[in-house]
Amino acid sequence: MSGNGPQDASPGEPIMPAGAAHSIPSGPNIAAKLDAADILASVGAALYHWDIESDALVWSPNVLDVLCVADVATISTGRRYAQLLDAANVQARFDAVMQTDQRDEGRGGFFQTEYCIRPDSGSGAKLWIEDSGRWFAGAGGRPARVHGTVRVVTERHESDSRLSYLAYHDSLTGELNRHQLTVILEKTLGEAMRSRSSCGFLLVAIDNLGRINDSYGFDIADEVIAAVAKRIRGRMRGKDSLGRYSGTKFGIVLTECTPDDMATAADRLLAGVRDEMVPTAAGPVAVTVTIGGVTAPRHARSVPEVLARAKEGGARRGEGQAAGLILRLSAQSRARRAAPRQHARHRRDRRRAQRTAHLPCLRNGGGEHLPAFYECLMRVRRTDGTLLGASDVVPVAERLGLVRFLDHRVLELVVSELAAAPALQASVNVSPASTTDPDWWAGLDSLLRTHAGVSERLIVEITESAAIHDVDETRGFVARVKDLGCRIAIDDFGAGYTSFRNLRKLGVDIVKIDGAFVENLIRSEDDRAFVRTLIDLARRLGLATVAEWVQDERTAKTLEAWGCEYLQGAHVGLTSLERPWLASRAQAV
């Protein structure tokens, strides 16, 4: 054997990788020594030495428990161990070691692979194994011996398989998700255009699912959605594709489909859903669907056109009806010409309706208040020209599920201001709904990538009440924001009675003290005690502090003496629609 690797161990003794002994504590001053067997058992791993020439496999004593085999003799050679391999494996240890293009330069060659074994052929149970280690060359330079570890990773593999499945399928119904449905639609449409044939698309919407939610609860509504998916699947042709288009809608891609074929399919689906009650845990529920459809490429030559025409077709019908949408060419042409103008007008209207007001936050110190950053607050213009503040708009938007759109628009406005004024620093408030919204995160990431140098001048504010709702989830939000280069502030601190322990746990950069404790600071002994304690604690934790609702010079001086870094309120500046940082370079923040 080659002298490149460690010496052989006696049979039955654990085989430790080269250099591992140096990491084990020893000597008279060590109270307790690590036990290799205990470590192996705790991590569910076993060690082995494989002599390739003789094919002998020597294992650590815990291998029977790790691999769930009854007798070590059944895995005492490489060939016997290979008999446990599942037939579906692409690569096993032998392939990973013997088919390598590495060379042993004295420390051996590294390998790592995963494969599936069946320890008990009678039960049919499978174990996924992660096998890694180093091989050492013999006289001819080819692998002669292997030192490695095996570890059961079945749970991880199943989790990865589940994630891979969810990348293409809807978790509730098991059908295709929206992205994969549109991929298949695009492919089918392209084939139809190349072959000069026809395909179709049906959009099936469950009627009045909101009423089912209100009457029975979301769990029953989910049962209805899953049952409708099964009924649709049972009445489709095998060559067609079904996917969940949105919460209440399904899309069906029909290959080689004429308008008559599509109408027939729609009628069959309507009857299949409507004719029998849907059994649920709350009892039978009556369900109907509305279907819109379009044939392509005759009436739609792109995926967005197909989806728009099918949606329009469903909207033109009453509940429980179906229609194959056949637009007259003249009407279609008019719609195409008018759509860009309408879209642009709606976009302009939305952008004009929403804007930001700016509340200065000034640095407190030296008797001279210097601008530090501006808090950008949402304002919405009504049709009569008056403006609504966030306190008027946000509660309504939350009930309608629109608050995330408002947050994204304000974020766009603030980033635009930061990009136009390189000296400006600004903060933006984020509602609790947006902190877990993937679209908001994607928008933030995209905006910061597009406008380099903005992230370090942007402060993201979350309210204390949102932070304490789920501290661990908020910690994740804080970490992601800081990873993008922004700072993060917790707003209205004190209103939610967050413990100081949670304050340290959240990892924010700035604490904004709730104005209710600052407004009467001079007259209230309790407020003075709270604010002073908080400022002192924040200083110890390395956090900046902002006092809100500062109304007078005496309050400002008191806060300055206590070490509060920043001030907001009527004493230092009111909210304004103006942009002071654009007045002159001397006034730029």
Side-chain angles (χ1 to χ4, degrees):
M1 296 299 175
S2 168
N4 292 332
Q7 297 299 312
D8 290 340
S10 300
E13 293 182 353
I15 307 299
M16 299 298 291
H22 298 295
S23 64
I24 298 179
S26 61
N29 295 326
I30 302 300
K33 295 183 180 180
L34 296 177
D35 189 309
D38 289 342
I39 296 175
L40 291 171
S42 68
V43 299
L47 305 179
Y48 66 84
H49 170 83
W50 179 29
D51 181 70
I52 297 176
E53 183 176 356
S54 66
D55 201 31
L57 264 175
V58 181
W59 297 90
S60 56
N62 66 326
V63 67
L64 299 182
D65 294 331
V66 172
L67 297 183
C68 302
V69 294
D71 187 356
V72 72
T74 61
I75 54 172
S76 60
T77 68
R79 289 182 180 84
R80 289 180 178 178
Y81 183 70
Q83 291 175 0
L84 303 182
L85 295 174
D86 186 79
N89 285 306
V90 176
Q91 185 186 56
R93 179 200 302 150
F94 183 90
D95 305 304
V97 172
M98 302 305 295
Q99 296 179 9
T100 181
D101 56 0
Q102 299 182 61
R103 296 183 60 185
D104 183 359
E105 301 292 346
R107 297 185 58 190
F110 175 77
F111 75 94
Q112 185 174 40
T113 186
E114 279 190 14
Y115 49 81
C116 181
I117 66 172
R118 294 177 179 268
D120 184 352
S121 58
S123 68
K126 294 183 180 181
L127 291 179
W128 279 93
I129 304 297
E130 181 188 81
D131 193 331
S132 61
R134 287 190 173 273
W135 59 265
F136 301 92
R142 298 290 295 162
R145 66 174 67 187
V146 178
H147 289 176
T149 63
V150 292
R151 185 165 65 97
V152 176
V153 293
T154 303
E155 291 183 0
R156 188 188 74 190
H157 190 273
E158 290 175 351
S159 176
D160 291 345
S161 298
R162 177 64 176 168
L163 290 175
S164 177
Y165 175 83
L166 292 177
Y168 297 94
H169 296 85
D170 172 60
S171 59
L172 176 62
T173 64
E175 302 297 343
L176 299 174
N177 59 27
R178 179 170 179 166
H179 172 73
Q180 192 62 19
L181 180 70
T182 56
V183 169
I184 292 176
L185 175 58
E186 184 174 23
K187 180 180 178 181
T188 303
L189 178 59
E191 291 175 351
M193 294 175 70
R194 287 191 296 272
S195 63
R196 298 182 180 276
S197 59
S198 180
C199 65
F201 181 76
L202 293 176
L203 194 61
V204 184
I206 302 175
D207 299 326
N208 300 317
L209 192 66
R211 295 179 188 174
I212 297 175
N213 275 329
D214 295 339
S215 301
Y216 302 101
F218 289 100
D219 291 341
I220 302 303
D222 285 346
E223 288 187 41
V224 169
I225 293 170
V228 170
K230 288 182 180 179
R231 293 188 178 185
I232 294 174
R233 167 62 65 186
R235 287 160 178 80
M236 286 173 47
R237 301 180 303 179
K239 61 182 180 180
D240 298 331
S241 301
L242 171 65
R244 191 175 179 190
Y245 181 78
S246 66
T248 62
K249 295 182 176 67
F250 296 92
I252 305 172
V253 180
L254 302 101
T255 60
E256 300 176 4
C257 175
T258 66
D260 289 340
D261 295 334
M262 189 173 65
T264 300
D267 289 340
R268 185 168 63 247
L269 295 175
L270 278 176
V273 175
R274 177 191 60 216
D275 289 352
E276 295 183 17
M277 302 279 280
V278 174
T280 70
V285 176
V287 180
T288 61
V289 294
T290 300
I291 303 178
V294 60
T295 54
R298 181 179 179 185
H299 300 294
R301 300 184 64 82
S302 68
V303 170
E305 284 186 351
V306 169
L307 299 177
R309 302 292 183 268
K311 185 176 180 180
E312 183 181 345
R316 289 184 174 187
R317 315 303 296 180
E319 293 178 2
Q321 298 187 40
L325 177 62
I326 308 297
L327 290 177
R328 293 191 301 272
L329 293 181
S330 59
Q332 187 179 36
S333 178
R334 288 196 301 272
R336 285 179 178 173
R337 289 196 300 270
R341 294 194 298 272
Q342 292 173 351
H343 179 70
R345 184 170 64 251
H346 292 323
R347 185 172 63 242
R348 287 194 301 271
D349 291 343
R350 290 195 303 269
R351 290 180 179 271
R352 289 170 180 168
Q354 206 169 340
R355 59 183 307 179
T356 56
H358 314 104
L359 176 63
C361 182
L362 306 185
R363 188 177 299 278
N364 190 14
E368 182 179 355
H369 302 309
L370 302 175
F373 65 88
Y374 284 87
E375 181 178 356
C376 297
L377 304 168
M378 178 180 62
R379 296 292 183 265
V380 175
R381 186 183 298 278
R382 297 196 295 189
T383 53
D384 62 2
T386 58
L387 293 176
L388 293 174
S391 60
D392 298 313
V393 176
V394 170
V396 178
E398 286 179 338
R399 289 198 299 271
L400 298 176
L402 300 175
V403 70
R404 293 173 295 176
F405 299 102
L406 296 179
D407 278 352
H408 183 73
R409 178 58 186 147
V410 172
L411 181 64
E412 286 182 331
L413 292 170
V414 173
V415 171
S416 176
E417 295 288 357
L418 288 166
L424 173 65
Q425 296 193 42
S427 69
V428 61
N429 294 276
V430 180
S431 66
S434 293
T435 62
T436 56
D437 179 28
D439 291 337
W440 185 86
W441 278 108
L444 176 63
D445 183 64
S446 176
L447 287 168
L448 295 181
R449 289 178 183 275
T450 302
H451 302 285
V454 163
S455 59
E456 58 265 28
R457 295 184 287 119
L458 177 64
I459 302 168
V460 176
E461 297 191 21
I462 55 173
T463 61
E464 183 195 16
S465 57
I468 65 175
H469 179 70
D470 189 329
V471 174
D472 290 331
E473 186 175 89
T474 303
R475 286 181 64 194
F477 173 82
V478 170
R480 289 184 68 181
V481 169
K482 296 175 76 169
D483 285 344
L484 291 173
C486 306
R487 287 178 291 168
I488 191 158
I490 183 168
D491 195 13
D492 299 333
F493 189 83
Y497 307 104
T498 299
S499 70
F500 292 148
R501 180 181 179 182
N502 282 340
L503 179 60
R504 180 174 61 182
K505 187 177 181 181
L506 288 172
V508 299
D509 302 294
I510 302 170
V511 176
K512 302 186 72 175
I513 305 170
D514 184 33
F517 297 97
V518 178
E519 186 179 25
N520 300 312
L521 188 70
I522 303 303
R523 296 182 294 275
S524 171
E525 184 176 343
D526 290 342
D527 289 347
R528 287 197 301 273
F530 175 82
V531 172
R532 187 168 189 175
T533 301
L534 177 57
I535 292 172
D536 183 61
L537 176 68
R539 187 190 307 113
R540 293 175 183 271
L541 296 178
L543 306 178
T545 48
V546 178
E548 301 176 314
W549 298 8
V550 178
Q551 306 296 324
D552 53 64
E553 181 68 20
R554 187 179 175 188
T555 301
K557 289 291 186 182
T558 302
L559 291 167
E560 179 183 337
W562 291 346
C564 181
E565 289 95 330
Y566 303 102
L567 307 177
Q568 277 186 317
H571 176 65
V572 296
L574 298 174
T575 304
S576 172
L577 296 175
E578 302 301 322
R579 297 175 173 81
W581 57 88
L582 298 181
S584 68
R585 282 190 173 274
Q587 294 177 334
V589 178

